[in-house]
Amino acid sequence: MTSGVLQISLDQPFQDQKPGTSGLRKSSRQFETPHYLESFIEAILRTVPGIAGGTLVVGGDGRYGNRRAIDVIARMAAAHGVARIITTTGGILSTPAASNLIRQHQATAGIILSASHNPGGPDGDFGVKVNGANGGPAPESLTDAIYACSKQLNGYRIWDAVTVPLDQPGQQQIGALQVQVIDGVDDYITLMQKLFDFDRISDLLRGDYPIAFDAMHAVTGPYAKRLLEGLLGAPAGSVRNGTPLEDFGGGHPDPNLTYAHELADLLLHGDGFRFGAACDGDGDRNMILGQRCFVNPSDSLAVLTANATLVPGYSEGLAGVARSMPTSAAADVVAQQLGIPCFETPTGWKFFGNLLDAGRITLCGEESFGTGSNHIREKDGLWAVLFWLNILASRREPVSQIMAEHWSRYGRHYYSRHDYEAIASDAAHGLYDRVKTMQPALVGQAFGGRSIATADDFAYTDPVDGSLTSGQGLRLLLDDGSRVVLRLSGTGTQGATLRVYLESYVPPSGNLAQDPQQALGALITAIDGLAEIKARTGMDRPTVIT
Ligand code: VG1
Ligand code: CO
C-alpha cells in the first residue's frame, strides 16, 4: 500500500445512501455522522469508470460542510489513484460552472457539493451530486450502481490528514494526486461571452434600466457581480445578497415567490425596477420577474424558444426543445410553429443529457425554475438571466408586453404548482397510492367541469438509448387538454413533499388576462376532492404556490 493511505473499516455499511432526483441529500448532521460522507464518496470512486488516472472537478455552493467535503474527497481521491483534482478558490463552484469545467478539462467526472435549493447550515441540509464526463448529472444506471456499492461497503481508503488550502489559486500534491485550485468564475464568464451580445445588454443596463438580482447569499453572488455589475455595467447594488454564506443567511435559497418574496415584492408591488431575477443555492435555477409581472418558468422556456434567434449563440435556430412532463406545454406550441421537435421527459435534468449529446435538442427546461441549453449539461440560472436580458435589449419592450404578445400569438397555458412540504410520509404515500389505484376507473368521469380522458402513471422511453423509466407521476389528462399531475418530491429531506401541477390552455381568442389561481380554480377544487389533499395532509393550503 502507498504510504499515507489509511484503510478504514466500517462495522456496518450504510443502507440509506440512495440518490434522489438530483444527488444524495441529507441533513448536515447526518453527513457529519462518522464515515457517512466517506462511505458515499468511496462508492462513487469505486463505481464511476476511469477514476484511476482520471481527472475530477470538485466544488460546491459554499454551504456548511463544503470545505470539509473537498478535503475528504481530495484525500480519498489520492488513495484511489486519481491523477488530478480541479477545485476552486473558496471551494465556490456553481453547478453550471462545474458542468462547464468538466467539459473544458475533459474530466472523468465531477462531484458537486450542494443540496441545491434546500436550506444550509449545521441545522440545514447537505448534498453530493455526481456528474459524468459529458458534464451532466449521472444517469440512473450509474446512481443505482453507486447506491448498490454503498450498501455493501466494508471500508474505505483515505490519505492521512491533509488540508487543501483554498484561499487562492495554486497547486498541491497529495501523493501522486495533483490538486489544482483555480478561479471558479473565469471559465464560466468566457462561455457566457461567447453566447450573448454583451455590448447590447450593456447598452441597456447603462441606460435607465434598473435591475435587481438576488443571489440569496448563495453561490451565484460572485458570478453575478462580475457579470452584471462588472462587465455589463449595472449599477453597484444591483446584485443583492451577493456574498455566499454557509447558512445562506438563514434563508431558504429557493427562487420562488415564497422564498424570494423580498425580490418579488420589489418587482410586483413597486416600480423601482424593470427586471428582477434570482437563483438558487447552487446557481442552476432562475426566477424571472418584470415590472409588475411574474414569468412562470414554463412560459419562460417558451419565450426563450420563440426568441432564440435574437441571441448570438442561437441565431441559427434550434434543433429541438425538451421539457419535463409536469412543465406546461407552452414550449410545445412554439416548437410546433417553428417546425422543430419537442420532447417530454421525466423530472430531473439527467433525462435531457442524451437528447443534448445526440444533438436532438438545443434548449430545455423544467417548471421548477430550470432552463438551459446545449452549452453545458446542467440547467443554468445566470444563463437564463442573460438570455432574458439579451431579448430585452433587442426588443426594448417591457417584460409584461413580451408576455402579452407571446400569449396573443400562441395562446396561454395557465399553470400553477402547489407544494405541500414536509408532510408525514405515511399520509403522502397513502394519498398517492390511493389515487394510483383509483386511476383505471377514473377515465370518463367528470372532473372540474371537464371529463377525464386519460389517467396514468408517466413512463418514459429514452429515444436515444431506449432505457425505460417508470413511476414518474400520476397524470389526469382532461378532454379539453387541461391536466393535473401528482408527484412526490425526490429532493426533500423531511417527511414527504407532495407536488400538484395544474394546467389549462386558453387559445389566442380566449381570455388571456386571468389570475392563474382563478383560471385553475375548478381544477384545484376537483383534485382536492378526488385526492383528499387537505384531509389527508392536515394542511389548509399549500406551503408554496407557484
Ligand atoms: C425538484 C424539481 C425538479 C428538479 C430537481 C433538482 O425535484 O421538481 O424539476 O430537477 O428538484 O433541482 P423534486 O423531485 O423535488 O420535484 V436542484 O436545483 O434541487 O438540483
Ligand atoms: Co439547484
Side-chain angles (χ1 to χ4, degrees):
M1 193 177 288
T2 325
S3 77
V5 176
L6 306 173
Q7 178 76 46
I8 311 285
S9 318
L10 291 176
D11 293 340
Q12 271 187 338
F14 294 99
Q15 297 299 313
D16 65 343
Q17 301 197 322
K18 183 172 171 53
T21 312
S22 176
L24 179 68
R25 292 187 199 188
K26 299 284 178 190
S27 66
S28 298
R29 298 235 182 278
Q30 188 151 357
F31 266 107
E32 286 177 322
T33 308
H35 314 303
Y36 194 85
L37 171 67
E38 291 84 347
S39 160
F40 192 61
I41 302 301
E42 177 78 15
I44 294 171
L45 295 175
R46 286 196 193 185
T47 310
V48 173
I51 283 292
T55 295
L56 281 181
V57 169
V58 181
D61 63 10
R63 73 179 61 215
Y64 175 79
N66 196 34
R67 284 184 179 235
R68 174 179 91 94
I70 293 172
D71 278 342
V72 165
I73 293 167
R75 291 166 54 202
M76 292 185 67
H80 285 78
V82 172
R84 186 165 66 130
I85 277 190
I86 299 170
T87 186
T88 54
T89 43
I92 293 288
L93 183 63
S94 77
T95 291
S99 183
N100 182 44
L101 281 186
I102 294 169
R103 295 164 69 78
Q104 291 296 315
H105 293 270
Q106 279 143 30
T108 318
I111 302 179
I112 302 169
L113 305 162
S114 173
S116 194
H117 56 287
N118 297 25
D123 299 319
D125 289 341
F126 190 74
V128 180
K129 301 189 189 192
V130 186
N131 285 36
N134 73 345
E140 290 206 324
S141 51
L142 185 57
T143 53
D144 286 349
I146 292 170
Y147 174 49
C149 176
S150 73
K151 286 194 289 190
Q152 295 181 2
L153 273 189
N154 49 22
Y156 61 88
R157 279 181 293 151
I158 186 164
W159 200 268
D160 210 354
V162 208
T163 304
V164 180
L166 294 174
D167 296 327
Q168 55 193 23
Q171 290 216 25
Q172 191 188 352
Q173 206 68 33
I174 308 178
L177 170 75
Q178 185 189 53
V179 180
Q180 276 183 343
V181 180
I182 63 171
D183 180 291
V185 180
D186 288 343
D187 294 69
Y188 180 78
I189 299 229
T190 307
L191 176 63
M192 293 301 113
Q193 285 174 312
K194 285 186 196 144
L195 297 173
F196 299 107
D197 188 339
F198 272 53
D199 290 340
R200 189 170 262 195
I201 301 174
S202 175
D203 270 357
L204 179 78
L205 298 185
R206 287 175 204 273
D208 181 21
Y209 201 86
I211 65 167
F213 175 83
D214 192 343
M216 304 192 84
H217 286 303
V219 80
T220 51
Y223 296 84
K225 280 190 200 162
R226 289 252 294 271
L227 278 166
L228 300 174
E229 296 181 7
L231 288 164
L232 292 166
S238 300
V239 175
R240 295 157 178 262
N241 303 320
T243 305
L245 298 176
E246 285 203 330
D247 65 350
F248 307 121
H252 199 134
D254 196 352
N256 60 36
L257 296 172
T258 301
Y259 297 123
H261 63 88
E262 280 173 24
L263 177 81
D265 286 347
L266 283 179
L267 273 292
L268 301 179
H269 306 301
D271 294 306
F273 299 95
R274 310 285 294 275
F275 177 82
C279 289
D280 72 332
D282 61 333
D284 55 359
R285 298 185 179 202
N286 71 92
M287 175 169 72
I288 301 293
L289 299 152
Q291 194 174 345
R292 306 212 173 233
C293 174
F294 165 69
V295 180
N296 92 45
S298 301
D299 278 344
S300 181
L301 176 64
V303 170
L304 302 194
T305 304
N307 291 276
T309 52
L310 297 176
V311 174
Y314 307 91
S315 60
E316 293 184 357
L318 309 174
V321 293
R323 61 163 173 87
S324 66
M325 179 274 285
T327 305
S328 95
D332 303 36
V333 177
V334 178
Q336 200 180 14
Q337 294 207 13
L338 291 174
I340 58 173
C342 181
F343 298 86
E344 182 180 42
T345 60
T347 296
W349 212 260
K350 56 192 167 212
F351 295 103
F352 294 132
N354 277 347
L355 294 167
L356 290 164
D357 285 349
R360 298 184 57 175
I361 59 169
T362 309
L363 299 187
C364 45
E366 296 191 277
E367 47 64 40
S368 53
F369 298 91
T371 356
S373 90
N374 60 353
H375 68 294
I376 51 170
R377 294 294 180 273
E378 286 278 4
K379 53 189 184 276
D380 190 345
L382 279 166
W383 168 90
V385 171
L386 293 173
F387 206 127
W388 264 94
L389 287 173
N390 202 145
I391 293 171
L392 292 165
S394 299
R395 291 184 51 170
R396 300 272 169 171
E397 291 164 314
V399 175
S400 56
Q401 194 177 330
I402 289 179
M403 292 317 303
E405 283 178 13
H406 187 89
W407 295 327
S408 68
R409 177 154 178 203
Y410 300 102
R412 179 167 180 185
H413 291 78
Y414 284 103
Y415 186 82
S416 186
R417 182 175 108 181
H418 290 192
D419 294 327
Y420 296 82
E421 294 183 344
I423 49 183
S425 203
D426 288 354
H429 288 279
L431 181 159
Y432 195 83
D433 294 344
R434 178 172 158 275
V435 174
K436 189 170 168 176
T437 311
M438 286 163 69
Q439 273 191 327
L442 292 177
V443 176
Q445 294 208 4
F447 185 91
R450 292 90 157 169
S451 109
I452 299 176
T454 305
D456 66 3
D457 188 355
F458 182 65
Y460 175 70
T461 302
D462 187 301
V464 178
D465 67 14
S467 59
L468 174 72
T469 308
S470 50
Q472 294 299 306
L474 305 181
R475 305 193 295 180
L476 301 180
L477 309 181
L478 310 180
D479 56 350
D480 69 342
S482 307
R483 58 180 189 147
V484 178
V485 175
L486 301 182
R487 259 189 83 247
L488 295 176
S489 158
T491 58
T493 58
Q494 290 163 14
T497 291
L498 172 70
R499 306 202 193 285
V500 182
Y501 309 83
L502 305 136
E503 174 179 348
S504 182
Y505 177 67
V506 169
S509 57
N511 183 353
L512 301 173
Q514 301 172 68
D515 172 87
Q517 300 308 314
Q518 276 163 13
L520 297 165
L523 298 182
I524 294 169
T525 308
I527 191 61
D528 183 49
L530 182 87
E532 301 178 349
I533 296 173
K534 290 196 182 77
R536 286 170 175 265
T537 63
M539 292 169 76
D540 285 345
R541 65 182 70 89
T543 324
V544 176
I545 293 181
T546 296

